[in-house]
Amino acid sequence: MNASEFRRRGKEMVDYMADYLEGIEGRQVFPDVCPGYLRSLIPTTAPQEPETFEAIIEDVEKIIMPGVTHWHSPYFFAYFPTASSYPAMLADMLCGAIGCIGFSWAASPACTELETVMMDWLGKMLQLPEAFLAGEAGEGGGVIQGTASEATLVALLAARTKVTRHLQAASPELTQAAIMEKLVAYASDQVVATLGTTSCCSFDNLLEVGPICHEEGLWLHVDAAYAGSAFICPEFRHLLNGVEFADSFNFNPHKWLLVNFDCSAMWVKKRTDLTGAFRLDPVYLRHSHQDSGLITDYRHWQLPLGRRFRSLKMWFVFRMYGVKGLQAYIRKHVQLAHAFEALVRQDARFEICAEVTLGLVCFRLKGSNKLNEALLESINSAKKIHLVPCSLRDRFVLRFAICSRTVELAHVQLAWEHIREMAAAVLRAQGEEKAEIKN
């Protein structure tokens, strides 16, 4: 494929992508395939001779799309949202074209410097304490990780290294092995200090946890993977109060801030805590500016060596939506969640199982876990909408998360009517089963 054909095929691909997203509502949200469906549909080896672009696109519809779960369908209410927007997609195209591997400032100065500035932009949108921002001479700063799990692991490893070196400095006779076997990490059943848990979007009180960690010299990592995007709205910023006690903080713009996966934003108060744990300086990666104090080499802030130009997505999205546009998007999702909550509360057969703070509603039929398991099975088997469950205090609960960029009130209302129909059928079957047992 030369540049001329790339121009033509690129336009065709953009049309295909736009058609897919515009027509996604008409596609079944969850696929009708069994494990292993794809292997029999493609050859067992790569082709020896080139194939045509037309043949590949034809196979996308014939082979790939039947096995796709359509996360951006307005009838997808499972897990949490995964962000998607046209500006972010365009930025990803540019990222692929530039194709740099930004492990150091010298490897691509723009890749490094834009990330530093975008993380400061985002930190200011959240009103993070100044200590977390890089600025022109700050000790802290932000970095894009792949996922919140990755950010949490990075924080854990950095904390372990920091305390190990501190103890060895105080007691040189202690070996690393002797220290390691005594280290303790404190967590709740939701992992770390969490703002917006996966199960029900509950919030730890950082104003209670933070001072204790500060007094005891404990590293406090705060994970707000889903909920963090909402903190750009003044009315939700109080949920982040106490973050000033944290050593590290992360959330995922790729969940709810219209920046396509992967983009997990992580900040630390002291960048030396990360670079002290992950520093890697072979001769072939060194450059003349690395000890100047003026630049960042992000390979020292992460587990992988290489990294993509992910900050382009943030730059495009922040500029093309503006803070006000992003705030409006968050508020719309929260309003839709409360609309669904109101519908549930109007039906005496159902109950709300956790406070609805943002875009997630946890609900269930009043009754046994078995009854609610049957309800979820019937909903997902019909494949008109898609939900996943959680367990709250040993109760089986259904989660209804507002996910799609294009979801509207009408989709939420249709989903609720479908849930009510499925519930009626499940309750009817339960009644018939009880009658049968009595007879």
Side-chain angles (χ1 to χ4, degrees):
M1 182 181 286
N2 57 27
S4 176
E5 186 181 1
F6 175 72
R7 290 177 192 276
R8 182 160 56 93
R9 299 306 190 186
K11 289 168 184 165
E12 290 174 8
M13 179 54 79
V14 167
D15 283 342
Y16 180 85
M17 291 162 62
D19 289 344
Y20 165 70
L21 290 168
E22 283 190 325
I24 198 169
E25 184 173 341
R27 293 180 184 259
Q28 183 174 283
V29 64
F30 195 77
D32 277 322
V33 296
C34 297
Y37 90 96
L38 188 142
R39 182 171 289 275
S40 64
L41 300 178
I42 59 176
T44 56
T45 59
Q48 293 296 315
E49 300 295 332
E51 296 186 17
T52 65
F53 184 78
E54 288 87 352
I56 296 169
I57 288 296
E58 186 179 324
D59 281 349
V60 168
E61 274 299 328
K62 190 167 66 176
I63 298 172
I64 302 302
M65 285 300 175
V68 169
T69 299
H70 299 288
W71 281 67
H72 302 291
S73 166
Y75 296 115
F76 183 93
F77 301 103
Y79 311 107
F80 274 135
T82 179
S84 175
S85 69
Y86 294 121
M89 289 180 227
L90 292 173
D92 252 347
M93 289 170 64
L94 180 57
C95 172
I98 293 173
C100 64
I101 309 295
F103 45 70
S104 70
W105 179 87
S108 190
C111 180
T112 293
E113 295 197 12
L114 185 64
E115 182 162 337
T116 302
V117 175
M118 286 303 99
M119 292 301 294
D120 274 2
W121 275 20
L122 185 53
K124 290 172 183 176
M125 288 159 65
L126 298 171
Q127 299 178 52
L128 284 182
E130 196 73 24
F132 283 109
L133 306 182
E136 292 187 9
E139 293 184 8
V143 57
I144 301 173
Q145 305 286 1
T147 65
S149 304
E150 190 178 328
T152 300
L153 178 58
V154 165
L156 183 63
L157 295 174
R160 186 182 71 176
T161 301
K162 184 177 183 179
V163 73
T164 299
R165 289 176 178 169
H166 174 74
L167 291 172
Q168 283 182 317
S171 306
E173 73 280 3
L174 288 175
T175 65
Q176 187 173 0
I179 294 171
M180 293 277 279
E181 67 181 9
K182 295 183 181 299
L183 294 181
V184 175
Y186 294 88
S188 71
D189 61 359
Q190 306 292 323
V191 185
V192 293
T194 308
L195 302 178
T197 59
T198 302
S199 293
C200 62
C201 198
S202 61
F203 293 79
D204 286 328
N205 188 336
L206 299 185
L207 292 172
E208 291 181 356
V209 176
I212 296 171
C213 293
H214 182 70
E215 289 165 18
E216 299 295 333
L218 301 176
W219 181 296
L220 175 60
H221 178 66
V222 177
D223 180 358
Y226 161 67
S229 297
F231 304 154
I232 69 169
C233 298
E235 64 268 34
F236 299 123
R237 174 57 180 79
H238 70 278
L239 296 168
L240 187 56
N241 289 349
V243 73
E244 60 270 20
F245 293 104
D247 295 277
S248 52
F249 167 73
N250 80 272
F251 85 97
N252 291 342
H254 68 230
K255 275 195 168 70
W256 206 14
L257 209 59
L258 295 171
V259 179
N260 286 46
F261 187 85
D262 59 336
C263 183
S264 185
M266 179 186 187
W267 290 266
V268 288
K269 278 183 178 171
K270 292 189 180 296
R271 60 178 60 200
T272 53
D273 289 339
L274 291 190
T275 58
F278 299 104
R279 191 167 190 87
L280 181 68
D281 258 338
V283 173
Y284 52 81
L285 294 182
R286 294 177 191 167
H287 56 92
S288 58
H289 295 283
Q290 68 179 36
D291 298 318
S292 67
L294 300 174
I295 59 92
T296 296
D297 284 340
Y298 274 122
R299 70 178 181 277
H300 303 315
W301 295 52
Q302 62 177 20
L303 293 171
L305 176 63
R307 54 205 337 273
R308 296 185 299 111
F309 203 162
R310 291 177 289 199
S311 57
L312 282 171
K313 293 183 288 191
M314 300 170 73
W315 194 44
F316 276 45
V317 169
F318 296 167
R319 293 182 68 184
M320 295 190 76
Y321 278 91
V323 175
K324 289 183 178 179
L326 294 170
Q327 289 171 334
Y329 177 70
I330 297 290
R331 287 170 178 145
K332 176 185 174 183
H333 273 203
V334 176
Q335 289 165 1
L336 291 175
H338 284 297
F340 182 80
E341 177 193 15
L343 292 170
V344 175
R345 291 191 184 279
Q346 290 169 16
D347 192 322
R349 300 171 300 173
F350 288 88
E351 59 183 335
I352 296 292
C353 304
E355 181 181 0
V356 179
T357 306
L358 298 176
L360 175 68
V361 182
C362 293
F363 71 105
R364 73 197 299 270
L365 276 171
K366 294 173 182 175
S368 67
N369 283 348
K370 184 179 177 182
L371 178 67
N372 282 280
E373 288 169 8
L375 173 59
L376 182 65
E377 172 64 26
S378 66
I379 290 169
N380 284 342
S381 294
K383 297 176 181 173
K384 289 185 177 179
I385 65 173
H386 190 50
L387 306 180
V388 295
C390 68
S391 178
L392 297 178
R393 302 178 191 88
D394 298 322
R395 295 197 304 169
F396 188 89
V397 172
L398 281 65
R399 297 169 74 263
F400 189 93
I402 305 297
C403 291
S404 171
R405 177 175 54 83
T406 59
V407 66
E408 300 289 348
L409 180 59
H411 300 114
V412 172
Q413 292 170 333
L414 283 169
W416 173 239
E417 285 307 310
H418 180 61
I419 291 167
R420 292 185 69 211
E421 289 172 12
M422 295 295 103
V426 167
L427 289 168
R428 189 162 54 247
Q430 184 192 52
E432 291 169 359
E433 186 179 320
K434 284 182 179 178
E436 207 172 282
I437 291 170
K438 281 184 182 178
N439 292 335

